Amino acid sequence: MELTDREWRLVPEETRPGPVQMALEEVAAETVAAGGPATVRVFRWEPSTLSLGYGQDSATVDWEFCARNGIDVTRRQTGGGGIYHDHAGDISYSVIAPAEALPGELEAAYNRLCEPVLAGLDRLGVGAGFLDEPAPAVHRPACYLRALDPAHDIGVDGKKISGNAQYRQREAVIQHGSVTHSRAVEPHLGVFAADLSPDRFRERVTSVRAECGADREETVAALEAALVEWCGAEEGGWTDGELARARELAARKYASDAWVHERTTPEA
């Protein structure tokens, strides 16, 4: 099966709370597993949100800093370290595809699913690619400061610009990622319960704005155009049923203390 054998929809950039964004991915996986359209989308977090990796210890979070600065906290289904999704500085995307249309081997699936991310950055004139070699961790609980992995970390001249992760559920593959449009250094470091160096962060991380000067709207447009071209998607949106299911799932799971602090899924 080829990717283009299925119906695809592009959900243009939406701004929603973090728990709802994570719930929508799970709901989109249910949709594609049931024979409905596959989904590509670009999205924004409001309020700014720290998304913990699936296995991350909640004790690594500076909860007082997050509360003081109005930063929400949720937990992803994917592993790795926490990512601070700044409302202005972060641009996130996800691809929810039928598993049968993708390679079963993890690195091959990353190569396929990162194609539109690389193409979008190329449209902006950013010469990004998978990092050439690993780099040691600066701070393991922070995604952008973990050891760099050439299998799924995208960078420019050795600096990370995009982190990507994936998981499989209900005969679907969900890949999501974060593209750094502009570096919000203080909150990115402040959400973690550690004394981290801003200079080390700037040495490790670059941004679209630093590399080419594109504004946020241009960057979103380039990523959306690349996603459409990659799978032949038509612009669409969520059904009323999907939105209702996502809001229920967000409230019950992704916004719950049980999930965020303990990785426990509350019963329906």
Side-chain angles (χ1 to χ4, degrees):
M1 178 183 182
E2 296 295 326
L3 284 171
T4 52
D5 290 340
R6 288 292 293 270
E7 176 189 356
W8 285 82
R9 63 181 170 185
L10 167 74
V11 179
E13 187 185 44
E14 299 177 308
T15 302
R16 299 182 188 273
V20 177
Q21 299 289 24
M22 294 296 90
L24 282 167
E25 293 185 344
E26 194 168 336
V27 170
E30 295 171 355
T31 295
V32 75
T39 300
V40 290
R41 67 184 187 126
V42 176
F43 60 99
R44 191 172 193 175
W45 309 70
E46 176 61 45
S48 297
T49 302
L50 169 63
S51 69
L52 302 180
Y54 180 74
Q56 186 174 348
D57 188 343
S58 62
T60 60
V61 177
D62 187 331
W63 294 96
E64 290 186 4
F65 179 92
C66 292
R68 189 167 61 249
N69 290 278
I71 297 168
D72 205 356
V73 183
T74 189
R75 186 180 293 273
R76 307 188 305 274
Q77 292 275 18
T78 52
I83 305 175
Y84 169 69
H85 303 279
D86 188 74
H87 174 68
D90 176 277
I91 298 173
S92 291
Y93 79 92
S94 56
V95 178
I96 300 94
E100 61 183 342
L102 292 167
E105 196 274 321
L106 185 61
E107 188 165 348
Y110 271 124
N111 286 339
R112 188 79 172 95
L113 290 165
C114 285
E115 287 174 356
V117 181
L118 293 167
L121 291 169
D122 185 66
R123 284 171 177 263
L124 296 165
V126 178
F130 289 108
L131 293 168
D132 293 330
E133 57 187 26
V138 175
H139 182 62
R140 185 172 173 79
C143 175
Y144 273 71
L145 298 178
R146 288 168 69 90
L148 298 182
D149 190 337
H152 50 76
D153 285 329
I154 292 173
V156 180
D157 297 329
K159 290 186 174 185
K160 187 169 178 174
I161 197 169
S162 174
N164 307 275
Q166 63 179 252
Y167 68 103
R168 295 181 181 238
Q169 186 175 43
R170 303 176 188 272
E171 300 176 359
V173 175
I174 300 95
Q175 177 163 309
H176 52 203
S178 170
V179 176
T180 302
H181 174 260
S182 56
R183 295 175 295 192
V185 180
E186 181 181 349
H188 204 129
L189 300 181
V191 296
F192 298 104
D195 185 15
L196 301 172
S197 166
D199 289 340
R200 292 296 302 277
F201 184 85
R202 294 186 182 95
E203 289 169 0
R204 174 60 67 93
V205 180
T206 188
S207 68
V208 171
R209 190 165 68 183
E211 295 297 328
C212 71
D215 64 24
R216 184 186 174 88
E217 291 73 20
E218 291 174 301
T219 305
V220 168
L223 288 171
E224 289 182 346
L227 286 163
V228 166
E229 185 175 287
W230 177 73
C231 62
E234 297 288 337
E235 186 171 326
W238 308 109
T239 67
D240 290 343
E242 285 175 318
L243 287 172
R245 164 78 173 131
R247 292 188 186 106
E248 181 276 328
L249 185 60
R252 176 172 57 84
K253 177 180 177 180
Y254 289 100
S256 73
D257 286 344
W259 174 253
V260 175
H261 288 270
E262 302 169 13
R263 203 183 64 190
T264 300
T265 304
E267 295 297 326

